[in-house]
Amino acid sequence: MIEQKLLEKACECVKQLYGQEVVQNQIGLEKTKKEIAGDFTLVIFPLVKISHKSPEITAREIGDALLKSMPEIADFKVIKGFLNITLSNPFWIGFLKNNTNKRDFGFQRKQHQKPVVLEYSSPNTNKPLHLGHIRNNILGYSLAEILRANGYKVIRVNLVNDRGIHICKSMLAYHKWGNNETPVSSGIKGDHLIGKYYVLFNEHYKAEIHNLMDKGLTEEEAEKQAPLILEAQDILRKWEAKDDETLKLWEKMNGWVYAGFDETYRKLGITFDKIYYESATYLLGKKLIKEGLENGTLIEKDDGSVWADLRNEGLDEKLLLRSDGTSVYITQDIGTAQLRFDDFHPSSMIYVVGNEQNYHFDVLQRILKKLGKEYAAYIHHLSYGMVELPQGKMKSREGTVVDADDLMEEMFANAESTTRELGKADELGGNEADQLFRTIALGALKYFILKVDPKKNMLFDPRESIDFNGNTGPFIQYTHARIQSLLRKSMVAGNVHTCEKISLHTPLLPIEKEILKKLYIFPDVVKQAGDEMSPAVVANYVYDLAKGFNQFYQEIPVLKEEDTEKRILRLALTSFSGEVIKKSMAMLGIEVPQKM
RNA sequence: GGUCCCGUAGCUCAGCUGGAUAGAGCAACAGCCUUCUAAGCUGUGGGCCGCGCGUUCGAAUCGCGCCGGGAUCACCA
């Protein structure tokens, strides 16, 4: 890495010139601003204390010394305390020749020993997936790709919340009013069908509450005493007691939901390596809690409920088992964490879960630590922000929840109409065209969401999401298609795509060097995205690269360049840009077309 | 009320491990297709970087205090 070498040499020069050791982080190294001549800039303000000379003179002295000791440096210019260094053409062209066509350019070659377990999606089986889940899923999938590029073995897991009071509500509603309806008999996708009964439960439940309140109960009392909720709780107890009939209904209904989820995941292009079910992990959670109770780290109250006391850690008491012995949400999370650790012995366990659960994960980690689990320290909550709509938060009560299946359908229809209007589907067969529409629709949707910093809340404006111009997925896909078109035509024209022929001393236009500089930082981008667990880093980078390539493409000829040496150089740049765009998009879980 | 997150152009977002005149896209306006894909490119206008104080040679970036918005603190998940 040339940056490392620049810093090392700069330190040596400082020592030679001023007789004092400096550490590298006393010198700031950054990319030179676009408007200023130079490739890298050393910020030497901090060194004037050592040189006892003005910033300009100090910069010039260091620049002179560097120029002598590093053949890669062609020139430098000093502006105030900024030493702007220009690297030689042989350096840049050498970089191009050494890295284009390299399968692993930008990726970490060294593999970490222990795997990372990455959880995302984590749906409840009482309703279909919505826009919030889409953010979760594509974040998780992308993060897996990014970590993989950083040399981690990633085990992608899904944790299905298939048990609990919410499922019992759907079951009860179906039992009462379902008339043995099935996805087949109703023509409704399984997850949507179950969602319908969850809504139905809540409608009736609300009516009962109003009824009781009319009879003089407080809202809180009414919520607890409504017959429907009591029945649902009864079903939960029966379920935990393994009541045969209850289990049968539960299995049947969950089966429908899974079929529905599978379809949605398939359409979204989301996959998992392993699926955990809460129904299979909550017992282990209970067992661990019992152990904690026996060794005194947890406490049992008079009514039989079990708690973790976190008050001396600045938090509150946390319920772990209800007084009737049934388990709550965190019970299974304790079991699941143990199971994951036993299954994979990972170096870290990452959970992609919304920031509304920050407190939950804080508590989970502390409880596991209290229970003496070393893997408590491995837990990392990738907390992402809420997705809001122009009219505000999504509310199921107000029917403003954006359904995942509907949304993808709309995106697809939109990709189709826009593509047809532009006449880009004219030469494609039906299958091929559908594939392209799907690629563009998903590209638009995924990029729209991933370009935003995960930890921030984001606004999902449907009007903007179907815009395919500017900073969008389709813009980047289009750039890739343009590149491939150029390369195809180049082959036909008989150009040789070997960059070995390029002379290290071929002159470089500023626009060509701009692209090279963007390509040069790709490995840093991959690392930064991994360190920060942020697909947005990759998204913003690949947009910048695509934009840069389009400028290059528009400003100067590639195939039509008559000078062979220049033409081959530009083709190599084109091909390299295409490779990096493709790799970046792959890290976002987005496909790039050959034509569009 | 306690804890945590966010506040940058009309709108959506970058930049935040301190550095040069704060960047994109959308929207508005003006140009560029007989030449490699116009889902493109070029240009114009648009900013007390929420407010104040502090640290520093230097603050959108770090610290403290306000103001505004959000999340959470369930025998819900």
Side-chain angles (χ1 to χ4, degrees), chain A residues 105-269:
Chain A
F105 171 67
F107 295 166
Q108 179 59 247
R109 269 163 240 188
K110 210 174 59 204
Q111 292 293 308
H112 292 83
Q113 291 287 316
K114 290 184 171 179
V116 169
V117 176
L118 175 63
E119 174 190 310
Y120 54 93
S121 205
S122 327
N124 291 341
T125 54
N126 63 336
K127 53 182 177 243
L129 270 35
H130 58 69
L131 183 52
H133 294 109
I134 289 188
R135 189 177 196 191
N136 180 305
N137 280 297
I138 63 183
L139 267 175
Y141 186 86
S142 172
L143 185 58
E145 294 303 307
I146 289 168
L147 291 174
R148 197 168 288 179
N150 277 283
Y152 289 95
K153 176 167 170 48
V154 181
I155 296 153
R156 297 172 296 190
V157 305
N158 190 0
L159 172 65
V160 181
N161 275 296
D162 61 344
R163 47 135 271 128
I165 190 71
H166 54 292
I167 313 302
C168 297
K169 291 176 181 175
S170 293
M171 286 164 66
L172 180 62
Y174 182 82
H175 182 71
K176 280 185 179 301
W177 307 298
N179 296 319
N180 292 317
E181 180 175 46
T182 69
V184 173
S185 76
S186 65
I188 301 173
K189 196 162 160 277
D191 48 339
H192 290 261
L193 184 67
I194 301 309
K196 183 178 123 183
Y197 285 100
Y198 188 69
V199 170
L200 206 56
F201 173 92
N202 280 312
E203 282 169 5
H204 284 86
Y205 178 40
K206 208 175 294 169
E208 285 186 354
I209 291 171
H210 280 295
N211 228 321
L212 290 171
M213 285 167 71
D214 286 346
K215 288 180 184 159
L217 271 67
T218 66
E219 188 174 1
E220 203 178 328
E221 288 167 343
E223 279 173 3
K224 284 182 179 162
Q225 293 175 24
L228 276 173
I229 194 71
L230 296 178
E231 278 187 79
Q233 285 164 350
D234 191 48
I235 292 177
L236 181 61
R237 276 187 292 270
K238 277 186 185 162
W239 185 91
E240 288 209 15
K242 299 196 190 320
D243 173 66
D244 207 43
E245 204 178 320
T246 307
L247 282 179
K248 269 193 183 132
L249 178 61
W250 173 76
E251 274 166 13
K252 182 166 77 173
M253 290 175 70
N254 273 341
W256 295 340
V257 172
Y258 298 149
F261 283 171
D262 284 349
E263 196 181 324
T264 306
Y265 287 137
R266 189 176 48 74
K267 278 195 242 162
L268 246 188

Side-chain angles (χ1 to χ4, degrees), chain A residues 22 95 117 133 228 260 277 374 485 521 582:
Chain A
V22 284
F95 158 71
V117 176
H133 294 109
L228 276 173
Y277 296 92
E374 74 269 36
S485 166
I521 62 170
K582 185 174 185 176

Side-chain angles (χ1 to χ4, degrees), chain A residues 103-109 112 142-152 518-539 541-542 545 579-588:
Chain A
R103 184 173 273 278
D104 60 357
F105 171 67
F107 295 166
Q108 179 59 247
R109 269 163 240 188
H112 292 83
S142 172
L143 185 58
E145 294 303 307
I146 289 168
L147 291 174
R148 197 168 288 179
N150 277 283
Y152 289 95
K518 290 182 197 301
L519 293 167
Y520 182 80
I521 62 170
F522 179 61
D524 294 334
V525 169
V526 173
K527 183 172 186 306
Q528 192 195 344
D531 290 348
E532 294 177 13
M533 299 195 194
S534 173
V537 170
V538 176
Y541 166 77
V542 71
L545 174 62
E579 289 163 18
V580 173
I581 287 173
K582 185 174 185 176
K583 281 183 188 178
S584 299
M585 293 294 262
M587 276 191 276
L588 302 177

Side-chain angles (χ1 to χ4, degrees), chain A residues 292-307:
Chain A
L293 206 51
E294 280 158 20
N295 66 28
T297 45
L298 302 175
I299 50 174
E300 183 169 5
K301 296 205 171 171
D302 294 341
D303 62 5
S305 56
V306 179
W307 300 72

Side-chain angles (χ1 to χ4, degrees), chain A residues 24-35:
Chain A
Q24 283 177 18
N25 57 20
Q26 275 180 272
I27 308 172
L29 176 74
E30 47 201 63
K31 287 175 285 171
T32 305
K33 290 184 63 152
K34 218 177 175 178
E35 318 80 64

Side-chain angles (χ1 to χ4, degrees), chain A residues 270-283:
Chain A
I270 298 297
T271 56
F272 303 97
D273 299 311
K274 185 175 172 80
I275 298 180
Y276 287 96
Y277 296 92
E278 183 180 330
S279 57
T281 64
Y282 82 103
L283 286 174

